[in-house]
């Protein structure tokens, strides 16, 4: 039996222009910390509790798990829903300051149960689960963000495989691909706060599109996401596509709304280090007296989010305040001093279709992030 | 010298009907976590600090203690007031999702000093204390909930004894009974937020009665609570009665208001396990490969809360919005996988006298709780 | 490599009269706790993360440091700005419940980098740093309190020396004196929340002066602070003076506003203990059976804060709501039971010039603080 405390802290700035009509540059400091308390009882059972300190304080994870065999593990409680590829990636291992557009359309944390495990000697992983059915990208830190008004359950399944891990082309050993699917019922109502519909955020964390008042989730929600990653030496690539489809009612009309997003991101180590999906460990950690400097990584990504054009026609969105398409180009440089300390600097340029008065385009968003991350 | 970290996390749902006039069922997710940091300096001195993470984040306990002898111990700081039996019970050991009506009338946490200890070889315990005088059931997590406008102090005393522990009928060895008493002065004023009066909550955490605006505590507050518990093999029983009496002023009239509550609850282990007042340890912890399943417990309780009928006559309550009596029947099943993990499911049906428009009865409340608890 | 958890909790009361026109005495309970998580990686590198629990919950410190040599150390992240003497002192070592007026004019926490170290065998310390430029006395716990609308950086330098530590008069061995200086640009605007101007607080934590709406920081900010301390046996003395000068715009006029403050405080141990700038350790910790009682200390201070009279003439302050001078006399008694537990009782009497309607003086503030502190 043991209890282990880990976690991370992030502190940095966001400098942003263009989200207002004038040329003002806004600069905000951003802090976040997460404590993780992990326990093990014997060889099989364990738990995690993770209080989060950011603008909203709350419990991010609270679950128990049982690792019966490599193939058969169970988690129960409040946990990350096994769906989006970049969402599943640890917050400490992200190439950029924030996740890309697909994470706007996938579940974040939810209450439920997950059965999961590995097959083919670790080359393939699967997760299947049943969850409460949180709104897209809702971490459920607060009661209020998490209420549901339905009796439905979200069923989620995901499989991800490295087909060449156990032989075949060595260059493709760390190529993995998979797909995730979820289905559930969301029957809410038009009362304010009960709509159970998400809003859509720019990289600079401004809302660029949201459903009009009175619209509410009212029927089946399905999501599907093909996804892959590839790591080879200094190079890393992640790609994912998400389609999130929900039946939505406004007044007497109900429509199926199809929103989708994709991203492709690439990272490349300038130093002689290996790219990985997990938190990386520099070959030569920063050490002043030994004159070693850690690892330096260049990153780039392109991402798009498309809101169903028919949803604009049906009046679910107001084209003067909601953009129907957003495209984000991001570049960055990360300096990993050692396994525990990372400095990040990245820049995003996002363009929009519509979203401003008289059918004009919402002005471009330009945002620069800097961050110091301590993980322990 | 040592510092030990413990605590618990709870996550679950509340599904509730009847509290609105229509047939809507509300479902809320509920999360809570508590960290406890306990220190010991040598053999005598120690402290506890307990940050709590729930909808309100704050410091639940912050006190030092000195265990000079078994008979003479002292605690000083912010701590649980030694009064209500179920309030004194650890949150991880409760038979139900929430405490019963008597806990609406007893103090929760308060700032003060407590002298306490054991007599008769541990068969009898006593506590005497002097406290700031928090409002009934106020955990004082926030400054605002804790302000006082008086110079009074609450004196509290409690004695609880197991008369047959040291001999006599073996079947009554774990029968204990006792009484708690408190007295203090509450002189507040009619300014909003300064009334120093409690509100009364249903098992589903809705307020079913509260004093009208302008009423305020203005004089002596006394509480008395006879209480007992009984444990024998698989069976456990807890019973307590509380009378809370306060002088209250509205306009030019001052009345002594007498509210009281009682509960009786019983638990019975289906598995071959022993009931206890503390957090239980299953004889055969859950283990898939050994085919052992932990402990399963059935629980039932009945509780009533009566608000002084004369207080309605005197206008301290509005009968169209406050009920004058609430009766709660609760049943549940608890599955203790091991000492650390518990799954709870319980159901409450609560009926009310008055509390709705035109003298009608407030509709019955029906609420189903489920919970996962991790204690470490 | 190791991670160490420390921190402190404080709980107590504030009883206050005179801040209202009537004779009401307000009593508030006050709680605060800080966890500090300190890590070391090898001999050189480390970090600190400190979540704070008070009325506002947030991350107080989050930084990494590298101790290359005694003379050359670096901290990077969110940390205490090396400026005010009493601000630099640990919260657990303060003679009074709160810091004196000079801390209203100095930076608290900020994001930035600091290079620091010791010279002359530890007799002299220096810090130089570059920071984001937080408003005076802002701990930056929340995003909102920390936004900036400029591209400027605050440069800060401080040197503090004990000239007689390495020889000379033994009685002056623990006499130290120094000076801190900061300079930076603050260019904000008149939008509410963007003024980047501080408010000024009484010892009882009421605001006694604040800039009028529409005024905003718009130009160079300079601060200078000569400071000293002296410890000899039972006696301790701290003194500091701060001048904070900022260019401020209101409408079309821009003025340089000069606010200053000073304090002198003295502490004296009744018991045979040594005064120190750090958290003290009683020679004979409290122990009931050994009949030893810990350490008892008497403390007194005088402090003044002066707001630039020309700033009143220029209309930056409203003399009916802002006082232009505040004088605080404080006395107290502290009982250190051991290194970890302290009981504090202190009383402040503060008088004001102007600040009430029709040019009258704001009523005197009289406030009594009690506190229990647990540090671990």
């Amino acid at each position: 039996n043991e209890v282990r405390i880990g976690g991370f802290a992030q502190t940095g700035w966001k400098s942003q222009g263009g989200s207002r009509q004038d040329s003002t540059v806004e600069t905000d400091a951003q802090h976040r910390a997460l404590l993780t308390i992990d326990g093990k009882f014997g060889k099989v059972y364990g738990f995690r509790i993770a209080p989060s300190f950011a603008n909203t304080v709350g419990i991010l994870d609270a679950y128990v798990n049982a690792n019966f065999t490599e193939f058969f593990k169970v988690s129960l409680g409040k946990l990350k829903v096994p769906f989006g590829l970049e969402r599943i990636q640890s917050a400490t291992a992200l190439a950029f300051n924030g996740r890309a557009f697909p994470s706007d359309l996938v579940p974040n944390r939810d209450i439920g149960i997950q059965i999961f495990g590995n097959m083919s000697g670790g080359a393939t992983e699967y997760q299947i689960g049943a969850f409460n059915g949180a709104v897209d990208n809702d971490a459920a830190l607060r009661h209020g963000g998490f209420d549901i008004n339905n009796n439905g359950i979200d069923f989620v399944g995901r499989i991800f495989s490295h087909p060449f891990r156990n032989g075949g082309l060595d260059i493709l050993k760390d190529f993995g691909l998979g797909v995730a699917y979820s289905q559930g019922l969301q029957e809410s109502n038009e009362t304010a706060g009960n709509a159970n519909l998400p809003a859509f955020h720019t990289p600079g964390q401004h809302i660029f599109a949201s459903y009009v008042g009175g619209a509410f989730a009212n029927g089946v929600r399905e999501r599907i996401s093909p996804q892959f990653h590839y790591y080879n030496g200094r190079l890393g690539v992640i790609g994912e596509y998400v389609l999130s489809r929900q039946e939505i009612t406004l007044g007497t009309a109900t429509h199926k709304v199809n929103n989708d997003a994709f991203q492709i991101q690439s990272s490349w180590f300038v130093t002689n280090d290996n790219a990985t999906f997990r938190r990386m460990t520099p070959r030569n950690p920063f050490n002043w007296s030994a004159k070693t400097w850690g690892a330096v990584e260049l990153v780039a990504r392109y991402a798009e989010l498309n809101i169903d054009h028919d949803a604009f026609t049906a009046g679910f969105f107001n084209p003067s305040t909601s953009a129907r398409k957003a495209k984000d180009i991001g570049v960055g440089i990360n300096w990993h001093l050692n396994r525990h300390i990372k400095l990040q600097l990245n820049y995003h340029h996002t363009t929009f279709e519509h979203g401003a008065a008289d059918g004009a385009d919402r002005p471009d968003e330009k945002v620069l992030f800097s961050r110091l991350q301590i993980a322990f």
Side-chain angles (χ1 to χ4, degrees), chain A residues 11 42 65 79 94 98 105 111 144 146 166 175 191-192 198 227 248-249 251 267 270 294 328 348 364-365:
Chain A
T11 190
N65 52 51
L79 59 151
L94 298 178
L105 299 182
I111 294 189
F146 200 52
N166 296 326
F175 170 73
T191 317
Q227 48 195 248
I248 297 178
T249 298
S267 62
V270 177
D328 160 36
H348 293 274
D364 293 4
E365 183 186 83

Side-chain angles (χ1 to χ4, degrees), chain A residues 70-372:
Chain A
E70 260 308 285
F71 176 70
F72 185 64
K73 308 178 190 182
V74 180
S75 293
L76 175 75
K78 180 166 185 272
L79 59 151
K80 260 191 194 176
V81 179
F83 193 90
L85 182 63
E86 203 183 15
R87 171 56 62 196
I88 288 172
Q89 195 172 29
S90 160
T92 60
L94 298 178
F96 285 85
N97 198 77
R99 292 179 174 87
F101 284 134
S103 292
D104 266 6
L105 299 182
V106 309
N108 187 333
R109 260 73 173 187
D110 206 348
I111 294 189
I113 184 165
Q114 169 184 254
I115 294 170
F116 63 110
N118 296 315
M119 297 180 280
S120 329
T124 300
E125 62 181 73
Y126 79 94
Q127 299 99 5
I128 56 175
F131 291 89
N132 185 30
V135 166
D136 291 348
N137 203 20
D138 186 338
L141 277 176
R142 277 285 177 267
H143 166 85
F146 200 52
D147 293 1
I148 53 166
N149 296 287
N150 62 60
N151 305 305
I153 281 179
D154 265 30
F155 295 96
V156 180
R158 179 176 176 268
I159 188 159
F160 196 86
S161 184
H162 298 81
F164 305 100
R165 178 153 294 173
N166 296 326
L169 281 170
D170 199 54
I171 202 178
L172 293 176
K173 197 161 55 87
D174 283 333
F175 170 73
L177 82 172
V179 65
Y181 176 75
S182 83
Q183 212 225 38
L185 205 62
Q186 291 276 311
E187 289 180 324
S188 30
N189 58 60
E190 66 264 72
T191 317
N194 282 345
N196 285 3
L197 292 171
F200 305 95
H201 295 83
T202 67
Q205 293 306 306
H206 288 268
I207 290 175
F208 72 86
S210 55
Y211 290 90
V212 297
F216 61 96
N218 191 22
V220 170
R221 178 176 59 196
E222 276 184 299
R223 302 185 194 95
I224 188 161
S225 172
Q227 48 195 248
F228 82 95
H229 65 203
Y230 176 56
Y231 295 98
N232 186 9
R234 301 172 176 214
L235 177 72
V237 184
I238 289 181
E240 60 181 327
Y241 169 83
V242 180
L243 170 66
S244 177
R245 169 189 295 172
Q246 167 79 60
E247 289 181 307
I248 297 178
T249 298
L250 176 65
T252 56
T254 297
H255 288 275
K256 211 168 261 191
V257 175
N258 295 277
N259 301 325
D260 65 357
F262 80 90
Q263 69 147 324
I264 181 140
Q265 64 173 251
S266 180
S267 62
W268 190 78
F269 275 100
V270 177
T271 50
N272 182 17
D273 285 285
N274 286 331
T276 165
F277 188 68
R278 298 207 166 75
R279 178 146 62 99
M280 69 89 58
T281 305
R283 207 180 290 264
N284 298 302
F286 178 80
N287 187 317
W288 182 272
S289 42
K291 301 281 177 269
T292 57
W293 309 110
V296 174
E297 179 187 29
L298 301 176
V299 295
R301 84 174 179 208
Y302 177 75
E304 270 189 33
L305 193 149
N306 291 287
I307 291 177
D308 194 335
H309 288 15
D310 295 344
F312 279 83
T313 315
F316 290 159
F317 292 91
N318 174 353
S320 300
T321 55
S322 287
R324 68 182 194 186
K325 189 186 197 90
K327 301 187 211 175
D328 160 36
I329 294 178
V331 294
I333 180 165
N334 300 327
W335 179 18
H336 305 255
L337 279 77
N338 55 36
R339 178 164 172 73
H340 305 282
I341 299 172
K342 176 164 69 160
L343 289 165
Q344 283 186 294
L345 190 69
N346 53 84
Y347 176 79
H348 293 274
H349 185 148
T350 311
T351 57
F352 305 91
E353 265 182 33
H354 304 309
D358 303 323
D361 290 346
R362 185 185 166 93
D364 293 4
E365 183 186 83
K366 295 159 193 167
V367 52
L368 180 73
F369 287 101
S370 60
R371 175 181 283 174
L372 163 69

